[in-house]
Amino acid sequence: MTKTTQSSTDVQDMVAQADTGARSPIGLAGRILWFVPLCWSLFQLWYASPLPFIFNFAVLNDTEARSIHLAFAIFLAFTAYPALKRSPRDRIPLVDWILALAGSFAAAYIYLFYTQLAGRSGAPTQMDIVVAVIGMVLLLEATRRALGPPLMVVAAVFLLYTFGGPHMPDVIAHKGASLNKAMSHLWLTTEGVFGIAVGVSTSFVFLFVLFGAMLERAGAGAYFIKVAFSLLGHMRGGPAKAAVVASGLSGLVSGSSIANVVTTGTFTIPLMKKVGFPGTKAGAVEVAASTNGQLTPPIMGAAAFLMVEYVGISYVEVIKAALLPALISYIALIYIVHLEACKAGMSGLERRYKPTLAQSLLSFCGTILALVVLSALVYYGVGWTKDVFGAAATPMIAMVVLIAYVALIKVAADYQDHTLEDPNAEITEVPDPGPTMKSGLYFLLPIVVLVWCLTVERFSPGLSAFWATVFMIFILLTQRPLLAMFNKEKTLAEAGKEGVVDLLESLVSGARNMIGIGVATAAAGIVVGVVTLTGIGLVMTEFVEFISGGNIILMLLFTALISLILGMGLPTTANYIVVSTLMAPVIVTLGAQNGLIIPLIAVHLFVFYFGILADDTPPVGLAAFAAAAIAKSDPIRTGIQGFTYDIRTAILPFMFIFNTQLLMMNIDSWWHLMLTVTSAIIAMLTFSAATQGWWFTKTKWWEVVALLLITFTLFRPGFWWDMVYPPKHEMPGTLIADAADKLAIGQPLELQVSGENLEGKFVTKHVLLPFDEEAVSPDDRIDSTGLMLRQDDDKMIVDMVEFGSPAEQAGIDFDWEITTVSLPAARPMKEWVFIPTLLLLGTLGWNQRRRAKTLSHIK
């Protein structure tokens, strides 16, 4: 076996161990390990479809579906993942069969005895508790097998905390819980293991993972890689730039950083080394690009779907908030690659056809214009049909999509030699972009269907993924027969058989990709359940406030550090659940107490980002190990280099916490949006130049300082502007009616309130209370927030808070005082600070260019 083949085998083993299970037994065991994942995928498709309601058969509620979902995951965790490194890979020992059956029975217990359990809610029998204990132990073991010890240890520590509460240090002590109470809460209700996390895994995540597996099996992953390479391979460091774009596109196909590294890295890393990148940097570029694949809308990592439930917003809102940070992060990585290529004096690979500058500009502008026109036609054109044809518009659009699919298949049939058949084949020149793109344009149609369902039809993520997956099933069954019909290379029967095999294998691989996520969400549910059972969330607020001294920056650094440390051993999804459960409410609460109102989505994205960054954090980052195996480089050095590239992503969460415009919030016009996007891109490119120590030439220390200052100013213009023009005009609480009268429709009422909370502690915090848009008078506006007030001398006191109102949700209680009311101050827009900032940047650029020319003349 050659070294290259050995390396490829090692990498594939690593992916199998991390994502799909390392076992591949033969005989009956192998057929069972193929058939059970197939059944899991079919079950999930049935549950997501409208068919159960149409036929009134096998209609399941959320709890029952979660129970069956986890039963499949635990069964496969014991059969697909060996217990130890020395355990057999080619057969499944008897003990694993027993554990798999026992674990799946314990998980399915809620479904099997749902009626009986509902009838004795809160009064479990001894049998219930025995099953719950067995299920909990086997879930921890399944987690260890599928994900390694870290998540199992975290979950076990929280379980011990549940029972050992009275013996804990005073700062985290609680009264403890009995075995009956704890097991009933964690296993027999939807507060623990079968909580929101497993619910999202059942409803949304499985279908998106299945959709990605089908795209990959159809050939979309290889197509995206080849397109990126054809467009960028000729540039300086072109293969590295292609790796960045390909990994971003592969994020549509795979939510796994490791699988992303292997999919694109086996092709791009050797090419990066060929044009001059050292093995360490070639692997690091792939790692940095692949970890960011989970940040890329419209299909983000599994944790993004959990935000829908935890934050209480639609998935479209999550996409909207995540779009700009993901965009500028990828643009910056391409620029970092460009700077590395400039430093090393690299060049790209040869192109078969070299267009003139005019042709290049015309092609670029034509492509952008075509995309804009096509997007406008699709959005407004279909919107028009919906207005005119009503319910008939949807089947009409479906017919148009089918016609487009057949037409694009016909186009692709003429360019099939441009598909990437062998990623390891020797490539000496860049293929032509046009034919390469035409060879698989139909792969974009399922993504268009998915985005359309999410953004225009406003279907739930689960239903959107279901219809996109149904379309992918149609593509898998028909693409080979249609290509065979147009190419006449094989018979329709042969092609049809291959299509059926592709479909079945994608259903199996999609389910096996879900094993780790299924048990991870369940194990993380233990942590969530312990938090709700013991009340440690309130303790965490006091603990973090004590450590940080109430300083928001220190609190955010503390949260980032926890995410990175936990993320070294936990998958992103589990890391997000644990850290967001413990820290998100703390950051929002302490921010409000210090006058900073932080949107909940900003805090959750903060945790999400650092959980993803942990994938390349030494010494454990598995993505770095996979890339290093391909690049034949040191994994620790590759991880460190990858993390230096990812610093650009690490600063973004700190910026959007304080400047929510980066999350597309508080933007009031198109030109304001363009200004925000442009300034953010320039800021990130400036930061990249500063951290790489190179712009047009090597940067001096004072230039690095100036570039970092410019970056900060472009990301947070309000920091300096607030020093000159106060952003708010504060009034005493007794003038709340005057303030409410002056607010425009859509502007919330901003108050500082203080009083005793339920624990008897005196607190002060800022809150935003939206009022009813139909309320006109000041009193009506105040009433619509849920506040009933009385004035005692010079104090405005909360007499009563309406249940379920904005005021109640903001945590205001009766007898609290409204100390101040804030109105937005009339001041020039903060973006005026960009003018001197950009002039300074231009001066630095001019000086760099002048120095670069001088150095080139000397050489």
Side-chain angles (χ1 to χ4, degrees):
M1 183 181 288
T2 65
K3 289 185 178 179
T4 305
T5 309
Q6 180 64 47
S7 173
S8 177
T9 303
D10 292 343
V11 171
Q12 295 299 336
D13 286 345
M14 186 182 299
V15 175
Q17 290 174 28
D19 285 342
T20 60
R23 276 201 183 121
S24 53
I26 56 175
L28 179 61
R31 288 193 287 274
I32 292 174
L33 201 49
W34 183 89
F35 183 70
V36 171
L38 177 66
C39 292
W40 191 9
S41 289
L42 294 175
F43 161 74
Q44 294 288 163
L45 287 169
W46 173 266
Y47 173 65
S49 75
L51 294 177
F53 302 97
I54 293 172
F55 296 107
N56 196 28
F57 174 74
V59 178
L60 302 171
N61 62 36
D62 289 347
T63 306
E64 291 172 318
R66 293 174 190 182
S67 174
I68 297 172
H69 177 85
L70 185 58
F72 273 115
I74 291 180
F75 181 88
L76 290 171
F78 280 105
T79 52
Y81 289 86
L84 303 167
K85 286 185 177 180
R86 62 177 180 271
S87 299
R89 301 291 198 269
D90 57 349
R91 62 182 179 84
I92 303 174
L94 178 62
V95 66
D96 284 357
W97 285 115
I98 294 170
L99 294 175
L101 291 171
S104 56
F105 171 77
Y109 189 75
I110 290 182
Y111 167 71
L112 296 172
F113 301 99
Y114 184 80
T115 305
Q116 296 92 317
L117 287 168
R120 55 175 184 263
S121 179
T125 64
Q126 187 174 5
M127 177 65 176
D128 296 341
I129 300 304
V130 169
V131 170
V133 170
I134 292 172
M136 191 68 71
V137 171
L138 292 179
L139 172 61
L140 292 175
E141 169 58 13
T143 304
R144 184 195 67 80
R145 291 190 182 205
L147 304 165
L151 179 56
M152 181 208 71
V153 171
V154 170
V157 166
F158 273 82
L159 275 176
L160 289 174
Y161 174 73
T162 303
F163 301 116
H167 310 292
M168 295 289 170
D170 289 344
V171 69
I172 58 170
H174 65 96
K175 63 180 181 181
S178 66
L179 181 66
N180 275 23
K181 184 178 180 182
M183 290 300 107
S184 176
H185 182 83
L186 295 174
W187 197 266
L188 302 176
T189 72
T190 55
E191 295 294 321
V193 169
F194 297 98
I196 289 175
V198 168
V200 171
S201 178
T202 307
S203 303
F204 306 161
V205 179
F206 190 103
L207 287 168
F208 278 92
V209 171
L210 183 60
F211 176 70
M214 288 182 171
L215 268 175
E216 181 67 34
R217 183 74 189 191
Y223 170 71
F224 290 147
I225 295 169
K226 196 65 178 287
V227 167
F229 183 63
S230 69
L231 292 173
L232 302 171
H234 66 285
M235 298 179 178
R236 278 192 171 190
K241 293 174 181 173
V244 175
V245 175
S247 293
L249 292 171
S250 293
L252 298 172
V253 178
S254 171
S256 163
S257 300
I258 305 164
N260 200 329
V261 165
V262 175
T263 304
T264 55
T266 50
F267 174 67
T268 56
I269 289 175
L271 286 172
M272 281 190 258
K273 294 174 72 175
K274 183 174 182 177
V275 297
F277 277 88
T280 301
K281 288 188 176 180
V285 168
E286 185 56 54
V287 168
S290 295
T291 50
N292 277 22
Q294 293 185 65
L295 303 174
T296 312
I299 306 173
M300 300 163 68
F305 300 105
L306 288 161
M307 285 184 210
V308 173
E309 298 296 325
Y310 285 159
V311 183
I313 59 177
S314 70
Y315 186 61
V316 175
E317 290 298 312
V318 174
I319 291 175
K320 180 182 171 185
L323 184 60
L324 181 55
L327 174 69
I328 61 179
S329 185
Y330 267 109
I331 290 174
L333 185 55
I334 292 174
Y335 188 55
I336 286 172
V337 166
H338 177 73
L339 294 176
E340 288 281 17
C342 290
K343 279 191 276 187
M346 297 178 197
S347 60
L349 296 175
E350 285 294 318
R351 296 181 83 167
R352 296 175 188 170
Y353 165 70
K354 294 184 179 179
T356 63
L357 178 61
Q359 288 172 324
S360 297
L361 288 174
L362 184 63
S363 175
F364 177 76
C365 294
T367 302
I368 297 299
L369 186 62
L371 287 172
V372 171
V373 171
L374 183 63
S375 300
L377 283 173
V378 169
Y379 189 88
Y380 295 106
V382 179
W384 172 78
T385 59
K386 285 173 74 71
D387 291 337
V388 174
F389 298 106
T394 302
M396 288 172 61
I397 297 305
M399 187 59 64
V400 170
V401 170
L402 289 177
I403 293 170
Y405 167 65
V406 175
L408 290 174
I409 283 275
K410 175 69 172 71
V411 172
D414 298 330
Y415 298 98
Q416 282 307 291
D417 58 328
H418 291 272
T419 54
L420 184 65
E421 298 295 343
D422 183 9
N424 299 312
E426 180 69 16
I427 293 182
T428 56
E429 60 181 15
V430 179
D432 294 338
T436 304
M437 293 181 72
K438 291 174 186 175
S439 67
L441 281 172
Y442 62 93
F443 288 129
L444 299 178
L445 288 177
I447 298 167
V448 170
V449 169
L450 175 65
V451 174
W452 177 261
C453 290
L454 282 170
T455 58
V456 180
E457 298 287 352
R458 295 292 175 129
F459 291 159
S460 69
L463 190 58
S464 300
F466 170 75
W467 287 117
T469 304
V470 167
F471 188 40
M472 272 309 308
I473 291 172
F474 175 75
I475 288 177
L476 283 167
L477 290 174
T478 59
Q479 70 166 348
R480 289 185 184 272
L482 285 172
L483 288 170
M485 185 176 70
F486 292 127
N487 282 333
K488 297 180 172 54
E489 291 181 354
K490 59 179 74 170
T491 66
L492 287 178
E494 290 174 335
K497 184 178 179 181
E498 290 175 355
V500 172
V501 170
D502 283 342
L503 173 60
L504 294 175
E505 291 298 333
S506 67
L507 289 169
V508 172
S509 63
R512 289 193 65 154
N513 287 339
M514 269 300 299
I515 301 171
I517 297 174
V519 295
T521 51
I526 296 173
V527 177
V528 177
V530 169
V531 170
T532 58
L533 182 63
T534 62
I536 191 178
L538 298 172
V539 175
M540 282 296 295
T541 304
E542 297 177 4
F543 184 64
V544 173
E545 185 177 19
F546 172 75
I547 291 177
S548 64
N551 186 293
I552 298 293
I553 293 292
L554 287 178
M555 195 189 320
L556 292 172
L557 286 170
F558 182 63
T559 304
L561 188 62
I562 290 175
S563 294
L564 288 175
I565 291 172
L566 285 178
M568 289 181 189
L570 271 60
T572 305
T573 307
N575 187 6
Y576 165 76
I577 295 168
V578 173
V579 181
S580 64
T581 300
L582 293 174
M583 298 302 299
V586 176
I587 294 173
V588 172
T589 301
L590 295 184
Q593 290 178 10
N594 288 273
L596 179 66
I597 298 172
I598 306 173
L600 192 57
I601 180 63
V603 181
H604 280 258
L605 279 172
F606 183 96
V607 174
F608 182 47
Y609 264 59
F610 279 100
I612 289 169
L613 287 175
D615 277 351
D616 64 2
T617 306
V620 183
L622 290 178
F625 277 82
I630 299 169
K632 301 182 185 64
S633 60
D634 178 69
I636 301 298
R637 288 180 60 201
T638 302
I640 292 171
Q641 184 69 55
F643 194 74
T644 62
Y645 291 155
D646 267 339
I647 291 174
R648 78 198 190 288
T649 307
I651 68 161
L652 275 173
F654 288 96
M655 295 299 111
F656 63 58
I657 285 286
F658 295 98
N659 181 12
T660 53
Q661 285 177 204
L662 296 173
L663 301 179
M664 305 288 193
M665 301 170 77
N666 304 317
I667 294 177
D668 48 28
S669 62
W670 276 104
W671 69 266
H672 194 192
L673 172 64
M674 295 306 299
L675 186 61
T676 301
V677 172
T678 305
S679 62
I681 291 173
I682 295 172
M684 189 52 85
L685 297 181
T686 305
F687 181 76
S688 301
T691 53
Q692 291 304 302
W694 187 279
W695 193 3
F696 297 106
T697 186
K698 188 175 181 180
T699 52
K700 297 182 178 179
W701 70 266
W702 58 270
E703 288 177 318
V704 172
V705 172
L707 289 171
L708 291 175
L709 180 64
I710 290 167
T711 300
F712 179 78
T713 304
L714 290 172
F715 272 137
R716 279 199 63 193
F719 182 82
W720 309 108
W721 210 239
D722 293 350
M723 295 180 181
V724 182
Y725 298 99
K728 301 172 187 174
H729 172 59
E730 294 192 344
M731 307 159 59
T734 51
L735 298 179
I736 184 173
D738 294 342
D741 189 38
K742 293 176 182 176
L743 288 173
I745 298 295
Q747 273 188 316
L749 193 61
E750 183 173 346
L751 310 174
Q752 185 186 51
V753 294
S754 57
E756 281 192 11
N757 61 16
L758 293 174
E759 288 75 43
K761 184 180 178 182
F762 188 84
V763 296
T764 299
K765 63 179 179 178
H766 284 69
V767 296
L768 290 177
L769 300 180
F771 59 81
D772 192 334
E773 293 186 1
E774 296 180 1
V776 178
S777 70
D779 289 339
D780 287 344
R781 290 182 169 186
I782 294 170
D783 289 344
S784 70
T785 66
L787 289 174
M788 300 176 193
L789 307 174
R790 73 173 191 273
Q791 186 169 346
D792 288 352
D793 299 327
D794 59 345
K795 294 182 178 180
M796 184 62 74
I797 305 298
V798 177
D799 198 29
M800 191 63 66
V801 179
E802 187 178 334
F803 181 76
S805 66
E808 195 257 349
Q809 291 171 4
I812 300 175
D813 212 339
F814 65 92
D815 278 346
W816 281 27
E817 180 187 356
I818 298 175
T819 52
T820 59
V821 186
S822 300
L823 283 175
R827 62 174 188 167
M829 58 183 291
K830 62 186 177 183
E831 282 79 7
W832 282 110
V833 80
F834 291 163
I835 293 177
T837 306
L838 293 174
L839 286 173
L840 175 59
L841 182 62
T843 304
L844 283 174
W846 171 81
N847 185 52
Q848 278 258 316
R849 290 292 295 268
R850 181 184 58 80
R851 203 162 73 243
K853 286 181 180 178
T854 303
L855 289 172
S856 65
H857 287 318
I858 293 172
K859 291 180 180 178

